[in-house]
């Protein structure tokens, strides 16, 4: 009987000391606070952010997109956007896409399509992204026209306002709660540094730089003029042309 107890104890102790390391590491949260018509934001979304999908790093990333940016809340829940009314429309459209298509692989291809048009100064053609991506436009239309998109934007407004430290420009890129400031295009290196599991091949040779905080940051600054008119809830209707 004593030998049996010894065997059980030995097994339990040896399993603690000699068990292989766990491969179940937590994902790294990558948050992007942005506004749809900021050229720095569209540049980041089109030319940098897709890297995590191309090299497979998305497998260790929990991607969070927050399309609100430097907008402001006015009386009765009205929202004014830095680049005018059309930015408010596209902010809400992209918020609706995130809500309607929860799979990041799905909603990101739509947002990428819209932001590529912004990057090419063709954002008025954003509706063409539905046939290009094969996504159903009705889900976005219903979200927008019902006012639910406005509620999503107010939630994103609260989330943006709660940032610590507060954002000073967009794109504002945050990895596991830490803003990257001027080194935001090097975001993959920070993801690799934060990940506590076996590093993916995409992490080879990547290294974060010393974070710089500058008044000349490449982004759309909070202090810049907010354009008018505002996008009010009663105006939040879109009619699809497709």
């Amino acid at each position: 009987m004593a030998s049996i107890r010894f065997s059980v104890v030995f097994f339990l102790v040896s399993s603690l000391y000699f068990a292989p390391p766990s491969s179940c590491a937590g994902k790294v949260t990558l948050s992007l606070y942005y506004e749809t018509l900021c050229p720095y934001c569209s540049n980041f979304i089109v030319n940098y952010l897709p890297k995590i999908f191309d090299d497979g790093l998305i497998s260790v990333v929990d991607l969070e997109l927050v399309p609100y940016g430097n907008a402001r809340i006015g009386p009765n829940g009205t929202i004014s956007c830095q680049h005018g009314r059309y930015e408010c429309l596209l902010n809400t459209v992209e918020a609706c896409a995130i809500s309607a298509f929860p799979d990041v692989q799905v909603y990101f291809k739509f947002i990428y399509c819209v932001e590529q048009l912004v990057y090419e100064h063709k954002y008025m053609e954003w509706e063409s992204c539905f046939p290009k991506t094969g996504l159903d436009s009705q889900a976005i239309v219903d979200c927008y026209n019902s006012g639910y998109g406005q509620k999503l934007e107010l939630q994103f407004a609260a989330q943006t306002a709660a940032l610590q430290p507060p954002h000073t420009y967009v794109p504002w890129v945050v990895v596991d709660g830490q803003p990257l400031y001027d080194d935001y295009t090097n975001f993959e290196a920070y993801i690799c540094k934060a990940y506590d599991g076996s590093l993916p091949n995409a992490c080879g040779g990547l290294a974060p730089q010393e974070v710089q905080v500058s008044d000349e940051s490449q982004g759309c600054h909070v202090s810049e003029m907010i354009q008018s008119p505002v996008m009010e809830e009663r105006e939040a209707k879109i009619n699809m042309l497709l």
Side-chain angles (χ1 to χ4, degrees):
M1 190 71 167
S3 62
I4 294 176
R5 282 200 298 269
F6 174 79
S7 299
V8 171
V9 171
F10 178 78
F11 172 77
L12 292 174
V13 171
S14 63
S15 65
L16 289 174
Y17 279 94
F18 302 110
S22 172
S23 60
C24 299
K27 288 190 174 185
V28 177
T29 300
L30 171 64
S31 303
L32 170 62
Y33 294 81
Y34 73 104
E35 57 195 21
T36 51
L37 295 188
C38 170
Y40 299 100
C41 295
S42 60
N43 177 55
F44 180 75
I45 291 171
V46 171
N47 294 316
Y48 293 93
L49 193 53
K51 291 179 183 178
I52 60 173
F53 296 93
D54 297 339
D55 61 22
L57 201 56
I58 187 64
S59 65
V60 302
V61 168
D62 181 11
L63 179 61
E64 178 183 44
L65 301 185
V66 184
Y68 179 78
N70 299 329
R72 305 282 174 83
I73 305 271
N76 302 319
T78 58
I79 299 176
S80 56
C81 295
Q82 192 163 39
H83 299 92
R85 181 176 297 180
Y86 219 89
E87 181 170 75
C88 284
L89 184 149
L90 290 181
N91 284 352
T92 310
V93 164
E94 294 191 10
C96 284
I98 294 167
S99 175
F101 311 114
D103 186 338
V104 64
Q105 300 274 0
V106 176
Y107 74 68
F108 182 76
K109 68 179 180 179
F110 177 80
I111 289 175
Y112 174 88
C113 178
V114 174
E115 293 304 317
Q116 187 171 41
L117 292 172
V118 174
Y119 187 73
E120 297 170 350
H121 308 289
K122 299 177 182 177
Y123 62 85
M124 298 289 286
E125 301 173 15
W126 68 272
E127 294 175 58
S128 67
C129 289
F130 290 114
K132 286 178 182 177
T133 60
L135 295 176
D136 180 18
S137 63
Q138 196 59 50
I140 304 295
V141 175
D142 290 346
C143 170
Y144 193 105
N145 288 345
S146 68
Y148 184 64
Q150 178 85 354
K151 293 180 181 178
L152 292 174
E153 278 298 285
L154 292 174
Q155 291 173 15
F156 285 150
Q159 184 176 343
T160 303
L163 279 168
Q164 290 297 331
H167 83 290
T168 54
Y169 57 87
V170 289
W172 191 254
V173 182
V174 180
V175 172
D176 272 359
Q178 298 300 313
L180 305 190
Y181 297 101
D182 291 353
D183 201 29
Y184 64 80
T185 59
N186 196 28
F187 67 99
E188 284 196 314
Y190 293 89
I191 293 170
C192 295
K193 182 179 179 181
Y195 186 59
D196 59 6
S198 298
L199 292 179
N201 293 335
C203 291
L206 296 176
Q209 305 299 312
E210 182 179 351
V211 172
Q212 300 291 329
V213 183
S214 170
D215 292 335
E216 302 299 325
S217 302
Q218 295 297 300
C220 296
H221 287 253
V222 173
S223 58
E224 294 172 359
M225 181 66 69
I226 293 287
Q227 292 190 12
S228 58
V230 298
M231 174 66 77
E232 298 186 11
E233 186 170 6
R234 67 174 182 270
E235 298 173 316
K237 301 289 184 229
I238 53 176
N239 296 306
M240 303 303 298
L241 301 177
L242 301 176

